[in-house]
């Protein structure tokens, strides 16, 4: 009897489908660690970023809301009371001794007090904060556009990213304070501000006093709280584990536009 | 030589594009569902409106590990799987829609005829009795089948995608009309969740009717394209035994 090519094809397809189902249901845990799969994840992140940036352009603004829409109870997330002794000493004095460093690849490093920061031109915006976990809150933020700080410090041409070094130690075993980074598109976005006021009052400790980032077109974990130092760099390979941020080093995407 | 009336008439039912995109879609939706449940578990509460009113959430509990990808709790890994298959789903869906529009599949095979719509009551009655069209009538989809597929292909899946995109702060900045369409970001998240449930219901009904109306014949037609028209049953009853 002649071999039936259709039967052959059927067998092949059945085997293929079986394998696909097996992969889907049993193998995802194992595959999640594989280099080829994590490589695919990184490719997808780049694809998402390229697609979103193409749709967004540089200056498309996140939606701004009215006073009436502000959350009655804004959830405080991540660190809400940094235990670090240096930070606590600063907090006791109302951050009078706090100095924001702006350095790295800049012509003119800055060290700004809270009063000096408050003296600079400010932007106020009522925006929605979207946490990677899925919840959202609306708050009113006032602060200095990051672009203004970077222009004052004069970025060197090699600078490609801006790194935020924070005061909050996330994991007491590891002792690493929070760190984050964004690229220059987001750094110079008009709504990217270093906020020192929330809902019309000085930024409370649980929300990142004395100053925290707002990066309105990305998820909450990009918006570092308790910012101590802003560093311009060419690459963040030497920062933490090299993925560009505290949560990025724990598996999350560096580009958090979705 | 005339064909034996009881042997059935083989026809070519599904195009290669329909078959391939169908099975890619099966894999995508399975992984999107399971990684979606993982993401849901990171904050297992739903809200209505723009923001989360933490004092009054809708809760449905958490999903067990055997239903999630990965099986252990990891929002980061769940998101990676979700976006990987979201992209495959979008590309696959675009290929299907483009081919269906250009090739006429949508008009020819999925839109019910006037006459089919007129007799929709009869089709419902037959479905309730688990009797499915045979013979010549099985050359095309029946009216309920057509409406169900159209609803999934043109409504459920596209709205699912839009509700998912509405949760992206970057997409919201690019398309400010998108979130208000859903009544707020948290509403979009809740709708995304409800639509996932509707898709699971569709899946269950789809698999049940595939089994009841001839598992192997249907399955083969979606794999090789070959479908056999079963002879019509004059007595008006299903053969038993």
């Amino acid at each position: 009897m002649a071999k039936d090519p259709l039967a052959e094809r059927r067998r092949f397809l059945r085997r293929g489908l079986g394998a696909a189902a097996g992969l889907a249901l049993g193998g995802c845990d194992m595959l999640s660690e594989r280099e080829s799969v994590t490589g695919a994840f990184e490719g997808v992140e780049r694809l998402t970023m390229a697609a979103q940036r193409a749709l967004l352009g540089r200056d498309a603004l996140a939606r701004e809301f009215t006073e009436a829409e502000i959350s009655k109870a804004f959830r405080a997330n991540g660190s809400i009371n940094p235990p670090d002794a240096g930070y606590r000493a600063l907090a006791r004095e109302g951050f009078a001794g706090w100095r924001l460093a702006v350095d790295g690849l800049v012509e003119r490093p800055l060290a700004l007090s809270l009063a000096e920061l408050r003296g600079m031109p400010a932007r106020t915006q009522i925006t929605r904060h979207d946490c990677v976990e899925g919840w959202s809150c609306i708050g009113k933020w006032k602060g200095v556009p990051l672009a203004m700080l970077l222009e004052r410090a004069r970025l060197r041409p090699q600078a490609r990213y801006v790194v935020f070094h924070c005061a909050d130690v996330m994991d007491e075993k590891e002792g690493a304070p929070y760190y984050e980074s964004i690229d220059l598109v987001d750094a110079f976005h008009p709504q990217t501000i270093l906020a020192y006021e929330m809902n019309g009052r000085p930024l409370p400790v649980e929300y990142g006093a004395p100053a925290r980032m707002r990066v309105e077109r990305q998820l909450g974990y990009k918006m570092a709280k308790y910012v101590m130092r802003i560093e311009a760099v060419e690459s963040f390979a030497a920062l933490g584990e090299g993925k560009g941020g505290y949560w990025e080093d724990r598996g999350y995407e560096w580009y958090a536009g979705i | 030589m005339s064909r034996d009336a009881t042997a059935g008439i083989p026809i070519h039912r599904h195009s290669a594009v329909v078959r391939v995109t169908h099975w890619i879609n099966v894999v995508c939706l399975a992984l999107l569902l399971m990684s979606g449940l993982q993401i849901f578990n990171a904050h297992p509460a739903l809200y209505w409106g723009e923001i989360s009113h933490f004092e009054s959430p809708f809760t449905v509990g958490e999903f067990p590990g055997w239903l999630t990808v990965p099986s252990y709790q990891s929002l980061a890994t769940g998101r990676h799987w979700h976006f990987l298959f979201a992209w495959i789903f979008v590309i696959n869906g675009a290929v299907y829609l483009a081919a269906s529009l250009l090739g006429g599949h949508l008009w020819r095979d999925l839109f019910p005829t006037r006459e089919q719509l007129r007799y929709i009551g009869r089709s419902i009655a037959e479905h309730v009795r688990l009797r499915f069209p045979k013979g010549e009538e099985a050359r095309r989809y029946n009216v309920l089948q057509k409406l169900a597929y159209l609803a999934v292909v043109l409504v459920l899946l596209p709205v699912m995608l839009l509700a998912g995109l509405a949760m992206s702060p970057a997409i919201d900045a690019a398309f400010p009309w998108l979130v208000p369409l859903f009544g707020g970001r948290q509403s979009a998240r809740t709708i995304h969740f409800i639509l996932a449930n509707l898709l699971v219901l569709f899946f269950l009904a789809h698999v049940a009717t595939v089994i009841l109306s001839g598992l192997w014949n249907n399955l083969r037609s979606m794999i090789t394209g070959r479908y056999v028209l079963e002879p019509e049953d004059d007595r008006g009853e299903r053969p038993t035994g």
Side-chain angles (χ1 to χ4, degrees):
Chain A
M1 213 169 100
K3 250 193 176 174
D4 179 0
L6 265 181
E8 192 74 358
R9 215 161 98 189
R10 240 174 268 150
R11 246 196 311 280
F12 168 77
L13 281 163
R14 228 173 316 174
R15 235 175 285 150
L17 285 176
L23 279 184
L25 303 175
C28 285
D29 290 3
M30 244 167 50
L31 284 175
S32 301
E33 310 291 322
R34 279 260 192 92
E35 235 168 85
S36 56
V37 176
T38 56
F41 291 157
E42 283 166 23
V44 164
E45 184 189 339
R46 278 195 297 275
L47 178 61
T48 302
M49 180 172 168
Q52 293 203 337
R53 281 284 169 82
L55 292 169
L56 269 175
R58 282 179 168 266
D59 290 332
L61 294 181
R63 185 171 163 209
E64 298 195 12
F65 296 83
T66 64
E67 299 265 350
E69 294 169 287
I70 293 174
S71 292
K72 306 279 178 291
F74 199 110
R75 175 163 290 202
N77 207 35
S79 309
I80 52 171
N81 194 8
D84 173 67
Y87 177 82
R88 302 204 72 87
L90 287 170
R92 266 196 303 277
E93 292 159 28
F95 299 102
W98 178 79
R99 291 291 179 277
L100 172 74
V102 182
D103 57 18
L105 295 173
V106 297
E107 301 291 348
R108 208 174 60 153
L110 309 175
L112 297 167
S113 70
L114 196 51
E116 285 172 302
L117 213 56
R118 287 174 171 279
M120 290 178 68
R123 188 180 202 282
T124 302
Q125 59 207 31
I126 302 174
T127 51
R128 195 188 63 218
H129 181 98
D130 299 325
C131 178
V132 66
E133 291 171 0
W135 51 266
S136 314
C137 292
I138 293 176
K140 179 161 113 171
W141 309 96
K142 181 182 179 186
V144 180
L146 181 60
M148 206 162 282
L149 292 172
L150 296 176
E151 274 154 18
R152 193 188 271 203
R154 286 206 296 265
L155 277 187
R156 294 218 183 115
Q158 312 92 288
R160 290 187 55 214
Y161 300 96
V162 176
V163 174
F164 309 106
H165 300 275
C166 306
D168 54 321
V169 175
M170 291 290 290
D171 184 337
E172 286 184 53
K173 277 200 304 277
E174 295 174 45
Y178 203 76
Y179 48 98
E180 251 308 334
S181 61
I182 56 176
D183 66 7
L184 296 187
V185 172
D186 276 315
F188 282 90
H189 186 260
Q191 285 171 321
T192 299
I193 62 174
L194 181 66
Y196 47 74
E197 258 183 31
M198 178 188 183
N199 297 341
R201 298 204 320 269
L203 192 63
V205 166
E206 61 263 48
Y207 300 103
R212 59 105 37 98
M213 287 310 304
R214 298 298 309 166
V215 184
E216 304 291 1
R217 303 187 302 182
Q218 294 205 45
L219 296 174
Y221 66 88
K222 296 302 287 186
M223 305 189 219
K225 310 200 290 190
Y226 314 105
V227 175
M228 304 298 282
R229 177 180 169 218
I230 296 173
E231 183 192 13
V233 298
E234 191 173 354
S235 142
F236 47 69
L239 178 72
E241 315 270 317
K243 298 279 167 63
Y246 180 85
W247 287 114
E248 287 84 335
D249 284 337
R250 282 149 188 81
Y252 287 84
E253 294 89 352
W254 177 80
Y255 177 72
I258 186 162
Chain B
M1 204 171 94
S2 73
R3 191 174 276 281
D4 182 354
T6 56
I9 306 156
I11 60 167
H12 185 79
R13 176 159 234 190
H14 301 296
S15 70
V17 175
V18 166
R19 276 140 50 201
V20 169
T21 54
H22 173 272
W23 291 113
I24 292 176
N25 209 35
V26 169
V27 175
C28 285
L29 291 185
L31 274 148
L32 282 166
L33 174 70
M34 296 175 86
S35 57
L37 297 179
Q38 167 75 242
I39 295 171
F40 176 87
N41 276 354
H43 186 75
L46 298 168
Y47 313 90
W48 197 257
E50 191 65 47
I51 55 173
S52 305
H53 299 279
F54 297 111
E55 68 286 357
S56 54
F58 308 103
T59 53
V60 290
E62 287 182 37
F63 293 95
W66 60 268
L67 264 180
T68 67
V69 165
S71 63
Y72 50 89
Q73 178 118 38
S74 171
L75 172 58
T77 312
R79 280 166 54 81
H80 288 312
W81 283 108
H82 205 68
F83 300 141
L84 171 60
F85 279 93
W87 271 109
I88 300 173
F89 164 78
V90 166
I91 295 165
N92 187 57
V95 168
Y96 169 83
L97 281 180
S100 300
L101 283 171
L102 296 176
H105 169 59
L106 217 51
W107 318 115
R108 195 180 53 236
D109 303 327
L110 290 185
F111 277 93
T113 62
R114 215 174 267 274
E115 167 243 343
Q116 274 186 315
L117 283 173
R118 193 171 323 134
Y119 293 111
I120 191 167
R122 185 183 297 174
S123 182
I124 293 172
E126 283 175 2
H127 273 77
V128 169
R129 287 185 287 156
L130 301 181
R131 287 186 51 198
F132 302 100
K134 292 189 176 166
E136 284 304 304
E137 199 43 39
R139 273 187 193 277
R140 55 179 186 176
Y141 294 149
N142 67 68
V143 61
L144 294 185
Q145 215 176 351
K146 285 184 172 181
L147 292 175
Y149 296 164
L150 276 180
V152 169
V153 164
L154 296 186
V155 183
L156 231 52
L157 293 177
V159 176
M160 187 74 184
L161 173 65
L162 286 178
L165 287 172
M167 283 185 262
S168 151
I171 292 294
D172 294 353
F175 306 107
W177 47 265
L178 184 58
V179 168
L181 210 60
F182 290 101
R185 179 180 190 253
Q186 289 302 316
S187 299
R189 181 168 174 263
T190 299
I191 290 168
H192 197 70
F193 183 85
I194 291 170
L195 293 183
N197 282 275
L198 291 181
L199 284 168
V200 170
L201 282 182
F202 167 77
F203 170 77
L204 294 175
H206 182 54
V207 169
T209 44
V210 161
I211 292 171
L212 290 170
S213 64
L215 172 63
W216 176 238
N217 199 18
N218 285 317
L219 204 53
R220 182 188 47 213
S221 73
M222 195 45 94
I223 295 171
T224 67
R226 192 179 134 99
Y227 184 79
V228 175
L229 297 176
E230 287 179 57
E232 267 183 277
D233 180 2
D234 296 331
R235 286 157 303 168
E237 277 173 39
R238 294 172 46 134
T240 51

